Amino acid sequence: MAKKVTLHDIAIAANVADSTASKALTGTGRISAETRRRVRDIAAQFGYARPATKTRTGNGRTGLIGIVTPDRNGRFALPLLAGAERALGAHNHAALLMISQGVPALERSHINQLSAQGVDGLIIAGNTCNARHPIDPRIQNGLPTVYAYDPSDDPADCSLICDNEGAGRQAAEYLLGIGRRRIAIVGGLDFFQATIDRERGALDTLRMAGAAPLLVINDRWSEDWGERAAQLLLERDEMPDAVYCLNDEIARGMCRTLQMHGHRVPQDIAVIGHDNWDSVCVNVHPTLTSFDNELETMGRRAARHLLDAINGRPHHGVFQVESRLVIRESTDATRHECTVPDGARGSNRRRAW
């Protein structure tokens, strides 16, 4: 009879201690992802069947989820984390957040570390809206993974994104609805999917209404570009009566420059932004009408989709989260503060207009 393969045999073949081999096969302990993969590959080759053992959760799981993001300032990552933790807490899970700073090698290193910690799954969160390549399967190590904000370009993966095209439609509908007809669109870098989608939504809506944009111009996602774009508009023979800016920083620079040249916002020119960052939208005059990306909702849904995948019910494809228009003074002079309830906090969600 062939000798039964033991844990010790696996450890010898992998050149590790018996305890390390055990940790690799049970998904516990702090060992490198490379060691964990090597031990598991050897165990599979030898046909080793690990005896059933109890773990901290009784089902081979640690109850930990890894979230990896390039977002250094937390504008995108922190609300997404808050939403994810609410969903995870209801299922006795917790999240570990790692910041990759947009460096691929650092992202890989963080995923290796999280894998070594024995996380049950990963949320890979972005901050550009651009599609990205999925995690290398050799690094992913078989962990269920959900992509948030920046989708995976593999349709078999599960991704959650903002409905940027829908935001563009809402912006055009709202401006037309308050009687604005000479509408300019000012965006950021034109290779960003957010620029492409928000412009497409607005242009399609204007076209369906029998209207055309006064001007469409793109450059950087910055207040400086908003100021320069305003100067370009001021040099035109025909001034706009509304400007749809594709992020809040552009909109803030736009408002400041228009006011410096004697144009009232919103009486003469209404201005809309996007992202709904309090530091840009609220602590200024006029307060800024903007779209909220509902990142807490996205984080909550991403966590639920990941929990489904962990439990053997994976989702596939791209799922959109609708942006919410928050009306303030830059389009309605009577709005001295935000009067729209946070749709992520209750069932009384309503439109702001």
Side-chain angles (χ1 to χ4, degrees):
M1 294 179 63
K3 177 186 174 184
K4 182 178 179 181
V5 178
T6 66
L7 178 67
H8 184 63
D9 297 327
I10 301 300
I12 292 175
N15 195 29
V16 297
D18 288 6
S19 60
T20 300
S22 176
K23 291 175 182 176
L25 295 173
T26 58
T28 59
R30 301 184 64 174
I31 61 175
S32 72
E34 181 182 355
T35 298
R36 193 184 302 278
R37 284 196 298 272
R38 186 170 74 252
V39 171
R40 290 180 175 180
D41 288 346
I42 291 171
Q45 292 170 12
F46 283 23
Y48 174 71
R50 180 171 58 86
T53 58
K54 292 185 178 180
T55 66
R56 279 174 286 175
T57 61
N59 58 7
R61 300 174 187 164
T62 62
L64 295 175
I65 297 299
I67 300 179
V68 182
T69 175
D71 182 23
R72 285 178 284 188
N73 60 28
R75 281 178 168 176
F76 297 92
L78 293 182
L80 192 144
L81 173 64
E85 285 189 323
R86 275 202 288 272
L88 294 172
H91 293 82
N92 298 315
H93 279 70
L96 299 175
L97 179 66
M98 307 286 274
I99 310 297
S100 70
Q101 303 180 47
V103 179
L106 189 54
E107 179 185 74
R108 292 193 296 270
S109 174
H110 286 337
I111 293 171
N112 269 324
Q113 292 178 48
L114 289 166
S115 179
Q117 291 283 347
V119 296
D120 298 331
L122 297 168
I123 295 176
I124 306 298
N127 62 353
T128 69
C129 294
N130 290 351
R132 54 158 297 157
H133 294 310
I135 302 300
D136 187 324
R138 294 170 296 179
I139 303 298
Q140 189 178 2
N141 201 29
L143 289 171
T145 302
V146 170
Y147 297 84
Y149 204 77
D150 294 3
S152 166
D153 59 15
D154 185 345
D157 289 329
C158 175
S159 302
L160 288 95
I161 64 170
C162 296
D163 182 7
N164 284 307
E165 194 168 332
R169 287 194 297 269
Q170 285 190 66
E173 289 169 359
Y174 171 65
L175 291 173
L176 291 169
I178 62 173
R180 307 299 169 122
R181 291 296 181 271
R182 302 187 308 279
I183 300 170
I185 301 173
V186 180
L189 296 168
D190 56 12
F191 58 82
F192 270 59
Q193 196 63 44
T195 300
I196 296 168
D197 290 343
R198 290 168 194 171
E199 284 184 359
R200 181 189 296 121
L203 292 173
D204 285 350
T205 299
L206 292 174
R207 191 177 302 113
M208 290 178 63
L214 191 68
L215 184 67
V216 180
I217 48 177
N218 297 316
D219 200 312
R220 298 187 177 275
W221 302 102
S222 68
E223 288 194 30
D224 175 68
W225 164 231
E227 293 172 355
R228 289 188 287 115
Q231 291 286 357
L232 293 173
L233 293 175
L234 290 168
E235 293 170 2
R236 294 177 56 87
D237 292 334
E238 184 179 18
M239 283 290 294
D241 59 11
V243 184
Y244 172 34
C245 298
L246 304 192
N247 90 335
D248 291 338
E249 290 171 317
I250 296 172
R252 178 48 48 208
M254 175 69 62
C255 287
R256 181 165 55 246
T257 302
L258 291 175
Q259 290 177 307
M260 286 175 57
H261 287 81
H263 295 278
R264 298 172 301 164
V265 178
Q267 291 88 343
D268 301 326
I269 305 174
V271 177
I272 295 180
H274 192 117
D275 287 323
N276 197 33
W277 289 327
D278 282 352
S279 60
V280 183
C281 295
V282 177
N283 301 321
V284 290
H285 179 75
T287 55
L288 187 63
T289 293
S290 182
F291 283 95
D292 193 302
N293 288 318
E294 297 285 18
L295 291 172
E296 289 195 22
T297 299
M298 182 179 294
R300 189 168 64 250
R301 292 183 185 175
R304 288 174 178 170
H305 281 50
L306 183 57
L307 291 170
D308 284 347
I310 291 169
N311 290 310
R313 302 185 303 274
H315 300 264
H316 306 283
V318 178
F319 302 86
Q320 293 186 332
V321 176
E322 182 183 0
S323 297
R324 175 171 53 96
L325 180 59
V326 182
I327 297 178
R328 299 189 179 96
E329 292 173 325
S330 66
T331 60
D332 184 345
T334 67
R335 300 293 184 103
H336 300 298
E337 61 182 4
C338 173
T339 60
V340 181
D342 184 348
R345 294 181 180 175
S347 59
N348 62 339
R349 175 174 174 172
R350 61 182 174 83
R351 285 228 183 258
W353 50 275

